[in-house]
Each structure stands twice: as C-alpha cells, then as structure tokens.
Amino acid sequence: MSRDIRELLADKEFQRKMEKLAGLYPEERSALLAALHLCESETGCCGEEFQEYIAGKLGIPRASVKGVVTFYEMFHEKPRGKYLVQVCRTLPCMLAGAEILLDHICGKLGIRPGGTTKDGKFTLVTVECLACCDRGPSLMINDTLYTGITPEGFDKVIKELD
Amino acid sequence: MALILVDGKEIAVKQGETVLQACMREGIEIPYFCYHPSLSIVGQCRMCLVKVEGAPKLLTACTTTVPELPREKKLDGRYDMKVSVACDEAREAQRGIMEFLLANHPLDCPVCDQAGECRLQEYSYDYGAPRSEFVFEKLHAPKRVVLGPHIIYDAERCIKCTRCVRFCQEITKTSELSLVERGADTIVGTFEGGSLDNPYSVCTADLCPVGALTYREFRFRERVWFLQAHNSVCPECSRNCSVRVDSYKGEVLRIVPRYNPSVNGYYMCDHGRLITERMRGLETRELPSLIRDGKPSPMNEKDFYARLVALFSEKKYRPGDVAVILSGRMSLEEMAAYKRLSKELFGAVIGDVLLRSGESDDLLVRDEKRPNLEGARKLGLPVSGKDEAVSSLIGGKKALLIIREDPVGEAPQEERERLDTAIGSVETVVVMDDHLTATAARAHYFVPLAGWFEMEGTTVNFKGQLQKTTRCVAPPEGRKPFHDVTAEFLKAAGKEAPSGFREWFEEVKKEIPVLGLVKAGEIPLKGIPLPERKEKHG
Amino acid sequence: MAGELKVLTANLGMKGTTEIDAVMRRGAYEALIKAMTRMTPDQVLGEVKAANLKGRGGAGFPAGLKWSFLPKGKDKTRYLVCNADESEPGTFKDRLLIENDPHKVLEGIIIAGYATQSAGCFIYIRGEMPQGARVLQRAVNQAYDRHFLGKNILGSGLDFDIWVARGAGAYICGEETALMNSLEGKRGEPRIKPPFPAGYGVYGKPSNINNVETYANVPAIIEKGADWYNSIGSADTPGTRLFGVCGHVKNPGLFELPSTVTLRELIYGHAGGILGDRKLKAVIPGGSSVPVLRADQIDVTMDSAGLKAVGSMPGSGGVIVMNDSVCMVRALHNLMRFYAHESCGQCTPCREGTHWLELLSGAIERGEGREGDADKILSLSKNIMGRTICPLGDAAAMPAESFVRQFREEFEFHIREKRCLPETMRMTTIYSA
Ligand SMILES: Cc1cc2nc3c(=O)[nH]c(=O)nc-3n(C[C@H](O)[C@H](O)[C@H](O)COP(=O)(O)O)c2cc1C
Ligand code: SF4
Ligand code: SF4
Ligand code: SF4
Ligand code: FES
Ligand code: FES
C-alpha cells in the first residue's frame, strides 16, 4: 500500500504480475480493470503515470483508460488515505442506522465523506449497497467487510488497525 | 425494400436503413442530436423518439430498422411499419427530452458562438417546453477547457451526444477523446490538456450540435447571422474539399466543410481551414508594379500592360529564350487563357506546371499540394519539376514568367542562393501572384492577381471531379484573375479576347469536350465528374 | 407457513463448503457428470427448458429459452457470462452462494456450457467482493485440477474455461451489456439493443448471460428432472427462490422458499415480524427498483402473478421492509440519490432525470418543496420511463412513481408543512430497537 508508482513500475515482480494479467483473458484489454485494481492496492490510486503505462501495455488509447478510471468508484486518480473507509448508505443500511453510524465516523475521524485525515491515514467515502443488507449497517475498510457495526464497534475496529 | 407509413406519408425504406435515415431522405423532420451519417449509431440523446404502431414503448428512430413483413402480416395489407413523429405521445417525449437537456444547460446563448446554428436553440423553439421547471442550481462543470490547439470545450453546454468522441475514434482513429466521470457529472475529456491535436480536430466543432466545442480561431469573431456564405473548394491539395466560406465585410472569417460525397464527404482537414489564419498576415494590396531593388513601385494599370506588351514585342523572345513556371493554383480558365497568351507572345504553348507535393494521409489529404494539377493535365499542360528542377528550368533563359508560384519562398535554404543567382541572370522577370512573394521581390514586373477566394473559377481534383469556386470576397483594386490579365495583354496588343470567367469557361469547354452543354452558371454544387484522362503515348 | 426448502442453500452453514472435496462428498458435480456422460447437449437444454427455470437476476426471463437463442455450429465461438455483480439494493443472495458454495455455481455454469457448447464463461463479480473473487478463483482452480474445466471435460469433447473478472464499483455493470463492455475493459455503458448478446456479446461473440442463482439452479434440475422442479413453486416461477429480507424486521436474512410463499408469511413468519414492534408501513418486494407496496398489499404470493396483481414484481428477490417510523420522502430521496449516482450518464432522460429526481426529492425532504412537486415527480418519472437505453431509467422511475402514488398524502404533507410526519421523526434502527 502507498508505494511510489515509479518504484512499482520498475519492480520486476510487478512487471511479472502485469504480464500474467495481460495474458489472463481471451483478449488483452479485458485485463484493464484487474490491472487498475492491482495498482490501486499497491499505490492507493491509479494516477496518470500508471494510466499511461497500462494504456501502452494493453494497447488502449490513453483517453479511454482515463474514461475507465473515472467511471468506476473503486479507482482514484488522486492518492487517498492508507485506509479507505467505505460506509454503505443505501436504503436498507439507512434503515438499519447507517446515517447515525456515518455521523459518528465523521466525528471520530474529523472529516466529511470524501475527506482524508491530516495524517493521511483515513479517507472516508460513502458507497452504495454492499449486498449484505440483512446485516447492516455495513462498511468496508480497504478489502475487509464489517457488518452490523455499531459506533462503538467502529471505534474498536480502527483501534485495532495496524 | 420495405414500405412504411409515417404520419400518413408512404416511404420506401432500404434494407438496413433506419427510420430516421429514411425520413431524412424524404424530408420528414425527426429531431435528433447524436445521430450522424458518418458515425456509428449510439441512440444516446433519445431525441428521435417516435411512435411505432404495436411497439410497447416509443422507439428511437435512429436505431430502428424495418424488417420486411410477410405479405399476410403487412399492416393495412401494405405496410411493414407505421410510424408517427407528430402524434401527441411522440411530441410529449421530444418535449421531455428537451426539458431534460435544458435543465442543466447554461442558456448563455447571448455569449455563445454557436447561437444561430445551435440545434438545441433551434429545437427549443420547435419542440421545447414553454418554461423550465428546473428550479435548482445548475450543475457546474469546467468551461473554456483547451482540448487542443484549435478546440475549446465548455462542459456546461455539452449534451454528451459523443459525436466528437466517436469522430476521433472512428474517423481519425486517434481516440484523443473519451467521456470521463459518469452520471450527471459526465463530460468529455482528453488524457492530458491540449492533446486533441489531430489533422482534422476542428471537425469536432462542426459536429458538435451545440456550442460546447468551439473553433478557437473563430471564437468571438462574429455572430454567425451576419456572415455571408459562399461555396468554394479548398486549394491546399488535390482533394479540393468542397467548402463553405463565411465572410463578413470583405474578409474571409471561416472555412467549413461542405458535404460532398464525391469529394470529401463531411470533413476537411485543419490545414485547409487555417488558410484564413495564413492569409491574415499577407500584404495583398499591391498594384501592378515595376520592381526596383525588391520594392514595388506601382504604375497605372493601362500604362503597365502597354509597357509589358511593348517589351515582349520589342524583344521578340523565341520559345527557347523563355522559361514559364505555371501553377496548379491556376483555375482551368486561367490555364486556358495562358495557352492563348503563350501562343500570342511566343508563338507556341510553352511552360511547366510545378508539381508540389508533400505529406498525405488515407483520409482526405493528398500528396499533391495544388488544387488543379489534374486540370492542367486535362488541358495538356506539362506537369513537372521537382523542387530542385526550378533553377535548371531557368538556366540560360532570357525571360522568365512565373504565375502563382513562389519558388524562392518555398525553396529550402540551401537551394535559395542558386535560385537567386539563376533568376538574377535573367533579363526580364515577370511574376504574377496574389501577394508580393519572395520571388516577386526579385522580379522586374509584378502583376497582382486575385486570390483564390476572390475570383470565380473551376478546378479538377485528383479523381477528375470538376468543381466551381465562387467569388467569396471582392479583390482589392487592381487585382484580377489571370484570365482577365490575359485579356488586358491581348487588348493592349490590339487583339480580341474573351472577357470574364463565363467566356473563358467556354474556352475551357473547347478543350474538355465532355463538358458539352454545361453552362458556367449551371455547374452543380457537387461538381461534375470528368472521364479519366487517356494517357498519351509517344 | 411453508417451511424452507433447501436446494440451493443445502450446503450453506456447513463447514468447508468452499472446498471441492467437501462438497463432492455431498454430491457436488454429480449432475455435471450425469449431463456430460449420459445426456446430449440438446437433452440438457431440453430439460432446462422444460423446467421453465426463470432468470433470477431481475427480469425473470426463461433461462432455457435464452440458451437456445445462441446460434449453433462448431464454427462459432460462444461465451457464457455469469452475472455476479449483485448490487441491487436489498439483494444479498449471490454473495452468499459465491462465498459459501461456489462449486454449485460452477457446476451449473459448466452444465450450461455443455448444453450450449460454449468456449467458456466469464464470471463478473462485483469489485466490492474481493473475498468472493478469491473464493471463486480458488474453486475454479480446484475444478481445473479435477478436469471439470479445461480440455475435453469428462471425455465429452467440450473444452471449457472459466475466467473470473472483477468489477470496480458501478451498479450499472450488472446490466448485461454494460457488464460485457466492462469485461472488455471499457466504461460500463450499456449497449443499444438490438443486437442482443445472443448475437453480439462479449468481444462481439454470441453470448449468454445469467445470474448466479440462475446457474445455481441447474444442477438440481439435471439431477432430479424438470418434473420435480415444476412440482415446486408456482406456475410462473417454479423451483425455489432465494428471498432476502432486510430493513425493519426482527430476523433479517436469506430464505429459500417456493414463490408460492406470501409476502406476509415472509415478513411476519420467516423474518420474525416488524422491528420495534411497530406497524408495517411499506415493502419493496424485489430489490429497490420495483414499485413499493403499502402494508395492506402483502397478502400476495411472491411470484410474478402475485406481485403483478398489486402492481409490483419479484425482481431480484430482495425484500426491503419499512415500519411506520420511516419517512417515505426520505426513503425515496435515498433511492434517487442511489440511481443518480449509478446512472452511467450516456442517455439523456436517465442522466438528467435521475439527477433532477434526486434534487427534487431532496428539496421536499428538507422542507423546500413547492406545490406541484409531487406531480413533478410523476411527470419526470413518466419522461424517463421506457425512454432510456437500458432499464436503469425504469428502475429509478418505478420507485419514484410508486412512492408518490402510494404515499401521496405524506409527500403533500411534507410539501405543505415543510416537515416529516410526526411518527417519522425518529426512525427505528438496529441501535434503537
Ligand atoms: C441497472 C441494472 C442492474 C442489474 N444488476 C444485475 C445484477 O447485479 N445481477 C444480475 O444478475 N442481474 C442484474 N441485472 C439484470 C441483467 O441485465 C440480466 O437481465 C441478468 O443478468 C440476466 O440473468 P437472468 O436471466 O439469469 O436473470 C441488472 C439489470 C439492470 C438494468
Ligand atoms: S462536446 Fe459537443 S459533440 Fe462532444 S459530446 Fe458534447 S455536445 Fe456532443
Ligand atoms: S484535404 Fe486537402 S483540399 Fe481538403 S481541406 Fe485539407 S488541404 Fe484542403
Ligand atoms: S438508462 Fe441510465 S444507466 Fe442506462 S444507458 Fe441510459 S444513462 Fe446509462
Ligand atoms: S444497503 Fe448496505 S449492504 Fe445493502
Ligand atoms: S438521434 Fe436517435 S437517440 Fe440521438
């Protein structure tokens, strides 16, 4: 997480992974989303440098790559915090108390949705239904799902991070 | 071939043709934004919704094709489809789309360059709701984004029809544009600022149905309803793209492609369009002049021609003494006139039309950089001469006549000196052009000619399509097309001569018999295809 | 009350069911072996057709019929797609199947691959389910190891691969053609239809797409036969369905039931009744995109016919229950924000209309509504409905229209009084109940 993009692109291991991805699907360009996911998890974003690299690698116009990065919620052009706190706010979770939880999280982290804490540790975003509505309110921190979470539960979770 | 009924009118629909295409062909108006005949069909704007009998919901005319029904299933025993554009349901849908499109549209028509040729503006009168009920703050989006060297983008005005995006993907295949973001935040973007830089980039502004993409060189120059439109052709290569020239107060302000399936389709290249910018710097107000030390000293026109005629009759140059450099920038009439003049002055048709070539692409741009080389060939004038050949043409000659070419100005640096010396050793140098060129500065006599957009004339493109250009703006005083200059010469020599474009066109017809009964005033806008030249052997 | 009937969820709640050995001991892949060794592709197709298996992704299209639309012939490359993008608010069945019994889904897919003689299947799984993607990939690898995937599977002559691909956060990629564009590394913008995927799908090749649950139904159909399948459930939706109940119920969760179950039984029986012991106010019976029902409309079966009778539809089987503490304006605003956020933006009515609906419902919610706004919601919905490229427009318009139609007085109250109904000032949540 949060590796420098230049360092990443020079990394042999990473290049090997990219090669593998490119050959994974019947057509190369299908690997685009997977490649962006990889960059996102390694560096915390899919900036222009990577967009340019992957465009060349998969033979996709650069503008189209940008179009893709900006289309999907999970890709970010700008770096975000070490922990991406994704709070579900769709109706079923709202019925379970998502708004109360979100208010609490905003207070706790001292940021609004879309914001990043000063220390760069947390970025808070709201997301749409995470397909576990029976166990709401739901949230994800990076790749980990938390359900039925209470304000106190959230405090405990972030305390245990690192 | 299927038959459809559109609001009571019968229309035959070709296989694969859409309802929109068929209706357009028959002059039935269906409003649309995203459809364009040269681009893929995306059905995104939803403006062309029509009622199709039997369909559960309205259909977009641009995506609807008409399958032929078996006889027993035909509607009213006759039709393969019944369509209504004007029924309440369709009209209401069209109004609904307009309401949506205008909801977040800035409505800044008073300061918008597109005003007057904006489809959104036009349709809001014809199909729009009486007033907008959108009471919220309009979405803000980037304005004045520099997409490329010639294109500025206003995302607030953009209706996301993706014509521009598809053009760059499908026509130029350069793909500089993409939609970015999504939902109501969707806009058009480039990977990095300014990268919409392909040789046809300005076509995106032509395609844009609203004022979202504007042509930088034309922005804020003049409100379009003040412009006068003229039909012409682009003189920058042998494609001869059909163009519309928009002028205002005697100045050419803008050149846009004019649809011509036999020549250029819907498009033209940026280089052709940018003639306006290149013309702007040129000094074109010279009168007929003697040149001393590179400086023109204007003379009374009548005296000037008398003096030239006297010169040539005194010196009695023989064909071998003279070098004549002609240009593919001359119209057919000018070339025909030159042939007359040459016979008169030198007793034979002499001279070479310079071949000027450069880069080409597989879209429109041709390697031959003159509009009428094919015309020259049709009239039997030799087209020859690589760039280096010019000085050898001149070597050892006593007189040099150069019409509409600037070999000095166009010569590479290392070639210039040689050319200069060659020209300097010639006794009589006459240059005729539409501005005082580097070559003209080395002449003894300079004859100003009307420029490309200042005269009528015909040209033949590389495929043999003859087109006519019109006089879009009046030439400054003292400047004429070369055929009228010829007439001056002949008159000064006491000879009869045709006068004006129409009469000289008759001369052209004598040499291109297929033109037969065509009258100068009746050349169709798309031009006339001439049969292929028979190569002369031996 | 009819009890649960565990066909699809038979392995759920057991240990180790993501491992091929464990599930094979419980009968996994037996249907595949039966199909590939004892039936012709056409027989398999015939059985699925006869079973009248309805798609579980939302539209309820007969799966066997859809398979039969694929052009036949050795010269054609055909693809299958498994839609695991599960993002419809209130729907959480596919996640459970994938994370807990991936081999059931794979088995169904491979049988479908055999029936349609396809080259392979793309499983497109939501980006927000990394765990599911890992489980699936692992299961796929195990299936390759057992030669249930790869070349000449079980000597049937079929070469069949499965590729797992992740989405990246876009509800619209659940729409079949948007999904295909996304699979091709493009923006998830739906394509205009026709051409339909059966003629022009992934990479322009003939493709068939089904929901996770749809494929998961296939093994049991092959194993036990179409007659058995038709003996369960209702005439228009045979077999069992996965109903997820969420919102204001005491016992939210996933229930596998025949569609003959009534909505009342589902809410008050299986899901334990209303949270906070308050009154039921509204139910969205099939994922957020279907029309909302009032409390007096729940005595209907959960099949197409039953829900159609009250103006709604079974959709994706996600039941969202709201008690009388819920402000319907606020609930609608939440949904409109969702659709506006998820609109791909390529077509005018959806891009502009969902945005407008979000603003309008938000204004009413905040007490800034103006007279006529309720009608404006109706007219905006009408201007979206049926006029867009893909059904997302309808999916936004249907709740908008039905919320106002069913709860008109509440909207008018909001507009007039500039506040919520008194009983909705404090909404029940899991924290308060
Ligand atoms: C906006 C939208 C979102 C959709 N999301 C999903 C989804 O997440 N999962 C799914 O299986 N089908 C989804 N669908 C339905 C699919 O387009 C398609 O009909 C379905 O995958 C077909 O499978 P089935 O016939 O097995 O139901 C969605 C449709 C729309 C219009
Ligand atoms: S800029 Fe113009 S052409 Fe391009 S999408 Fe917007 S409205 Fe259409
Ligand atoms: S292609 Fe040739 S004729 Fe056409 S606009 Fe360009 S330069 Fe002019
Ligand atoms: S209806 Fe909405 S999601 Fe579907 S294509 Fe149109 S804009 Fe995109
Ligand atoms: S609404 Fe939050 S998981 Fe479904
Ligand atoms: S012209 Fe038909 S949808 Fe745009």
Side-chain angles (χ1 to χ4, degrees):
Chain A
M1 186 65 189
S2 293
R3 285 176 66 184
D4 178 68
I5 178 70
R6 257 159 260 175
E7 180 206 315
L8 186 71
L9 293 180
D11 181 352
K12 287 268 167 336
E13 171 68 14
F14 178 78
Q15 289 169 359
R16 217 180 38 76
K17 276 191 194 163
M18 279 294 156
E19 265 338 297
K20 201 173 148 218
L21 273 185
L24 203 58
Y25 300 98
E27 290 190 12
E28 277 200 346
R29 65 172 295 156
S30 288
L32 180 58
L33 267 60
L36 293 170
H37 272 305
L38 191 57
C39 182
E40 187 72 44
S41 70
E42 294 279 347
T43 69
C45 71
C46 297
E48 296 205 336
E49 234 165 321
F50 186 74
Q51 292 179 26
E52 180 131 37
Y53 161 82
I54 198 67
K57 175 120 201 114
L58 300 178
I60 302 171
R62 296 181 310 169
S64 306
V65 173
K66 191 185 182 75
V68 165
V69 170
T70 56
F71 186 88
Y72 296 95
E73 280 296 297
M74 293 176 74
F75 302 139
H76 308 80
E77 287 201 288
K78 299 261 151 54
R80 29 104 178 161
K82 182 171 178 198
Y83 295 107
L84 185 63
V85 181
Q86 306 149 73
V87 183
C88 174
R89 59 166 172 181
T90 315
L91 182 62
C93 276
M94 172 184 128
L95 297 175
E99 290 164 331
I100 297 169
L101 177 66
L102 184 61
D103 273 351
H104 170 80
I105 296 175
C106 288
K108 178 82 186 172
L109 300 179
I111 45 176
R112 306 282 316 146
T116 300
T117 53
K118 283 209 186 71
D119 59 4
K121 197 164 169 193
F122 295 102
T123 293
L124 175 63
V125 294
T126 56
V127 294
E128 305 297 354
C129 178
L130 291 170
C132 41
C133 321
D134 54 336
R135 293 174 284 157
S138 323
L139 62 85
M140 284 178 83
I141 300 179
N142 291 347
D143 274 359
T144 312
L145 176 70
Y146 300 86
T147 56
I149 202 127
T150 58
E152 304 75 52
F154 176 80
D155 294 354
K156 234 177 101 196
V157 166
I158 60 166
K159 212 154 148 202
E160 281 161 15
L161 290 174
D162 290 319
Chain B
M1 193 71 92
L3 190 67
I4 64 174
L5 190 70
V6 185
D7 290 320
K9 189 173 171 189
E10 282 187 4
I11 295 180
V13 184
K14 295 183 206 128
Q15 171 114 40
E17 201 179 31
T18 64
V19 170
L20 180 65
Q21 287 162 338
C23 286
M24 283 169 75
R25 180 163 42 72
E26 294 298 318
I28 295 179
E29 177 166 315
I30 298 178
Y32 68 93
F33 291 104
C34 66
Y35 171 76
H36 189 277
S38 73
L39 302 174
S40 61
I41 292 173
V42 290
Q44 286 169 337
C45 73
R46 316 305 285 174
M47 189 64 198
C48 65
L49 287 167
V50 295
K51 172 110 191 119
V52 172
E53 201 176 286
K57 47 189 189 177
L58 300 176
L59 300 180
T60 41
C62 69
T63 60
T64 305
T65 48
V66 186
E68 227 177 303
L69 298 176
R71 179 162 311 198
E72 67 281 7
K73 285 209 176 145
K74 295 224 189 268
L75 308 168
D76 298 349
R78 230 178 122 63
Y79 305 112
D80 298 288
M81 189 180 277
K82 283 172 143 185
V83 176
S84 175
V85 188
C87 64
D88 291 348
E89 202 182 337
R91 286 286 180 242
E92 192 199 302
Q94 293 152 6
R95 206 161 35 241
I97 301 295
M98 282 306 293
E99 186 181 16
F100 283 140
L101 284 174
L102 293 172
N104 282 296
H105 195 85
L107 291 179
D108 53 357
C109 309
V111 296
C112 179
D113 265 312
Q114 194 83 358
E117 44 191 33
C118 172
R119 215 170 258 263
L120 194 63
Q121 197 181 34
E122 191 184 308
Y123 286 169
S124 65
Y125 300 125
D126 299 348
Y127 303 97
R131 69 193 168 86
S132 173
E133 293 181 26
F134 189 81
V135 294
F136 306 99
E137 182 167 353
K138 297 195 187 242
L139 273 175
H140 290 292
K143 292 177 89 75
R144 287 178 296 280
V145 181
V146 179
L147 281 192
H150 308 298
I151 294 292
I152 311 286
Y153 175 57
D154 182 326
E156 289 184 355
R157 291 182 189 150
C158 173
I159 60 165
K160 290 86 176 176
C161 70
T162 70
R163 279 179 170 199
C164 56
V165 176
R166 281 175 283 147
F167 174 79
C168 294
Q169 282 168 356
E170 298 163 14
I171 306 292
T172 61
K173 303 197 165 62
T174 44
S175 301
E176 297 96 337
L177 299 180
S178 170
L179 290 184
V180 295
E181 306 296 338
R182 76 174 189 214
D185 297 327
T186 308
I187 60 172
V188 172
T190 49
F191 178 75
E192 58 196 346
S195 53
L196 173 59
D197 189 9
N198 66 56
Y200 297 86
S201 69
V202 187
C203 293
T204 58
D206 299 336
L207 285 169
C208 183
V210 295
L213 295 179
T214 42
Y215 173 33
R216 195 178 199 168
E217 281 73 7
F218 183 70
R219 270 167 73 88
F220 309 125
R221 294 209 52 184
E222 200 43 70
R223 308 300 320 203
V224 294
W225 48 84
F226 292 130
L227 300 178
Q228 276 182 301
H230 316 267
N231 296 314
S232 187
V233 305
C234 170
E236 294 291 293
C237 81
S238 62
R239 168 74 58 180
N240 292 5
C241 289
S242 301
V243 297
R244 192 190 76 215
V245 173
D246 288 340
S247 71
Y248 180 64
K249 291 196 174 157
E251 191 187 359
V252 173
L253 289 190
R254 167 171 87 165
I255 301 173
V256 291
R258 170 162 58 84
Y259 174 62
N260 188 346
S262 350
V263 175
N264 57 315
Y266 295 90
Y267 304 119
M268 73 183 292
C269 77
D270 291 357
H271 174 80
R273 207 184 294 252
L274 286 160
I275 298 174
T276 50
E277 306 315 296
R278 294 190 294 275
M279 280 189 337
R280 200 150 288 135
L282 297 182
E283 183 48 70
T284 57
R285 273 166 303 152
E286 305 301 336
L287 293 169
S289 319
L290 303 176
I291 310 280
R292 297 213 177 83
D293 303 328
K295 297 256 158 13
S297 79
M299 259 184 92
N300 169 299
E301 206 178 299
K302 218 169 150 199
D303 297 347
F304 179 83
Y305 288 115
R307 182 157 173 181
L308 271 182
V309 170
L311 177 87
F312 279 98
S313 54
E314 237 167 67
K315 300 273 183 184
K316 297 227 182 332
Y317 291 125
R318 281 173 312 158
D321 299 334
V322 188
V324 180
I325 293 176
L326 302 165
S327 172
R329 283 181 180 136
M330 297 164 75
S331 69
L332 282 177
E333 295 69 31
E334 291 185 316
M335 289 175 179
Y338 170 74
K339 289 175 81 173
R340 276 279 282 275
L341 184 68
S342 179
K343 279 186 210 147
E344 188 64 34
L345 291 180
F346 317 117
V349 178
I350 56 171
D352 287 87
V353 182
L354 273 197
L355 179 69
R356 291 295 194 192
S357 43
E359 308 240 304
S360 64
D361 63 28
D362 39 10
L363 240 167
L364 294 175
V365 178
R366 305 288 309 175
D367 55 349
E368 295 192 340
K369 296 303 170 198
R370 296 291 181 262
N372 204 19
L373 290 172
E374 191 57 27
R377 294 180 186 112
K378 286 259 177 322
L379 294 182
L381 290 169
V383 175
S384 64
K386 302 262 170 341
D387 288 355
E388 328 77 67
V390 177
S391 43
S392 64
L393 279 176
I394 301 170
K397 303 289 182 191
K398 293 189 182 145
L400 174 59
L401 176 58
I402 304 179
I403 305 173
R404 292 199 190 275
E405 285 293 348
D406 179 16
V408 177
E410 287 185 17
Q413 200 56 44
E414 60 278 12
E415 184 71 11
R416 263 199 187 188
E417 227 167 284
R418 238 156 39 110
L419 254 179
D420 266 342
T421 340
I423 294 176
S425 65
V426 180
E427 184 181 43
T428 307
V429 180
V430 181
V431 171
M432 308 191 184
D433 212 332
D434 61 9
H435 67 284
L436 199 72
T437 60
T439 311
R442 286 150 179 80
H444 306 110
Y445 301 91
F446 174 66
V447 182
L449 298 178
W452 189 259
F453 299 119
E454 295 168 349
M455 54 179 263
E456 285 182 290
T458 55
T459 58
V460 183
N461 86 345
F462 74 102
K463 274 198 288 195
Q465 188 82 0
L466 178 135
Q467 295 185 82
K468 180 176 172 297
T469 68
T470 52
R471 200 168 100 143
C472 311
V473 292
E477 202 209 319
R479 292 152 46 100
K480 308 180 179 20
F482 175 76
H483 49 80
D484 289 345
V485 169
T486 300
E488 294 288 342
F489 259 88
L490 294 174
K491 268 188 272 168
K495 298 273 159 54
E496 287 268 313
S499 109
F501 162 73
R502 275 159 200 262
E503 290 184 26
W504 280 108
F505 182 70
E506 294 303 316
E507 295 291 302
V508 170
K509 275 162 61 177
K510 287 182 198 155
E511 305 210 33
I512 307 180
V514 287
L515 287 173
L517 297 175
V518 177
K519 295 214 181 72
E522 289 168 1
I523 298 169
L525 276 178
K526 289 186 169 41
I528 301 168
L530 301 183
E532 260 179 65
R533 240 176 327 121
K534 291 204 186 65
E535 296 294 337
K536 281 196 198 114
H537 292 285
Chain C
M1 179 179 79
E4 273 200 85
L5 184 61
K6 301 208 172 200
V7 180
L8 305 171
T9 55
N11 287 337
L12 264 60
M14 310 270 167
K15 269 210 154 56
T17 51
T18 57
E19 298 304 309
I20 198 163
D21 294 331
V23 287
M24 281 186 74
R25 280 196 295 274
R26 298 176 54 85
Y29 293 103
E30 275 170 18
L32 174 69
I33 293 166
K34 176 179 174 188
M36 284 196 154
T37 56
R38 283 184 276 150
M39 296 168 82
T40 64
D42 278 345
Q43 283 172 329
V44 175
L45 179 61
E47 202 64 36
V48 175
K49 262 187 170 171
N52 193 19
L53 166 60
K54 292 290 178 65
R56 303 294 203 240
F61 195 84
L65 186 60
K66 187 147 74 178
W67 298 3
S68 69
F69 292 157
L70 285 175
K72 292 197 165 46
K74 281 240 176 304
D75 53 322
K76 288 231 160 59
T77 304
R78 287 166 293 268
Y79 288 120
L80 299 183
V81 180
C82 173
N83 191 339
D85 192 52
E86 186 163 56
S87 325
E88 172 83 3
T91 313
F92 46 88
K93 58 193 183 68
D94 301 339
R95 178 199 274 274
L96 279 153
L97 284 177
I98 285 168
E99 290 181 354
N100 296 291
D101 196 2
H103 288 286
K104 180 162 274 98
V105 181
L106 298 189
E107 185 179 2
I109 291 172
I110 305 166
I111 295 173
Y114 176 67
T116 56
Q117 294 290 298
S118 298
C121 178
F122 298 87
I123 305 181
Y124 185 91
I125 181 167
R126 254 192 102 160
E128 294 91 336
M129 295 184 187
Q131 171 65 12
R134 278 191 292 271
V135 170
L136 263 180
Q137 189 60 58
R138 191 179 152 79
V140 166
N141 295 347
Q142 291 173 347
Y144 271 105
D145 290 344
R146 294 280 181 144
H147 296 291
F148 294 141
L149 285 172
K151 300 265 176 247
N152 190 16
I153 300 167
L154 298 173
S156 67
L158 181 74
D159 300 342
F160 192 81
D161 291 302
I162 289 184
W163 304 276
V164 178
R166 288 179 68 196
Y171 166 66
I172 190 56
C173 288
E175 194 282 333
E176 54 195 25
T177 56
L179 186 154
M180 290 173 187
N181 275 341
S182 185
L183 273 178
E184 294 175 10
K186 299 176 185 157
R187 291 164 63 83
E189 287 159 356
R191 304 171 178 172
I192 42 171
K193 291 187 266 188
F196 294 94
Y200 189 95
V202 189
Y203 310 131
K205 300 282 193 314
S207 304
N208 171 77
I209 180 164
N210 281 116
N211 171 256
V212 169
E213 186 189 339
T214 313
Y215 284 119
N217 267 282
V218 173
I221 291 173
I222 295 306
E223 205 182 311
K224 303 189 181 144
D227 290 342
W228 164 81
Y229 193 78
N230 275 299
S231 71
I232 310 166
S234 75
D236 70 44
T237 317
T240 55
R241 273 206 81 157
L242 299 179
F243 294 106
V245 188
C246 66
H248 291 153
V249 287
K250 288 180 183 161
N251 177 31
L254 192 72
F255 307 98
E256 181 172 5
L257 292 157
S259 315
T260 43
V261 66
T262 66
L263 185 49
R264 179 179 298 279
E265 284 167 349
L266 202 51
I267 296 171
Y268 285 95
H270 299 280
I274 306 302
L275 192 66
D277 284 322
R278 298 182 63 141
K279 273 202 314 221
L280 174 67
K281 181 172 186 179
V283 196
I284 308 179
S288 68
S289 304
V290 307
V292 65
L293 300 176
R294 290 188 320 263
D296 59 0
Q297 296 174 305
I298 62 170
D299 291 303
V300 290
T301 51
M302 288 297 286
D303 57 352
S304 299
L307 287 167
K308 191 171 175 209
V310 285
S312 195
M313 44 186 97
S316 61
V319 178
I320 306 170
V321 179
M322 291 172 262
N323 73 14
D324 64 356
S325 76
V326 178
C327 168
M328 296 314 278
V329 179
R330 188 166 160 203
L332 179 66
H333 178 227
N334 182 289
L335 288 180
M336 292 303 106
R337 199 219 59 244
F338 170 80
Y339 289 106
H341 183 249
E342 298 302 331
S343 162
C344 85
Q346 69 168 329
C347 72
T348 308
C350 171
R351 177 184 67 242
E352 304 293 333
T354 55
H355 174 68
W356 193 333
L357 282 170
E358 178 191 352
L359 292 178
L360 187 55
S361 56
I364 303 174
E365 219 257 285
R366 284 193 311 277
E368 293 163 13
R370 306 179 324 155
E371 211 191 306
D373 277 357
D375 283 327
K376 191 66 199 169
I377 291 181
L378 295 180
S379 80
L380 289 174
S381 312
K382 189 163 173 238
N383 279 340
I384 299 171
M385 192 76 191
R387 296 182 188 167
T388 52
I389 292 181
C390 89
L392 189 138
D394 294 359
M398 283 192 287
E401 185 275 338
S402 62
F403 266 66
V404 172
R405 178 168 44 78
Q406 300 269 45
F407 299 94
R408 178 97 198 194
E409 320 81 73
E410 188 170 349
F411 278 82
E412 296 297 358
F413 180 90
H414 241 283
I415 292 166
R416 202 172 54 241
E417 306 290 331
K418 318 242 171 268
R419 62 188 162 90
C420 291
L421 288 174
E423 69 268 27
T424 66
M425 300 295 261
R426 269 184 69 85
M427 187 178 73
T428 310
T429 67
I430 60 160
Y431 309 136
S432 64

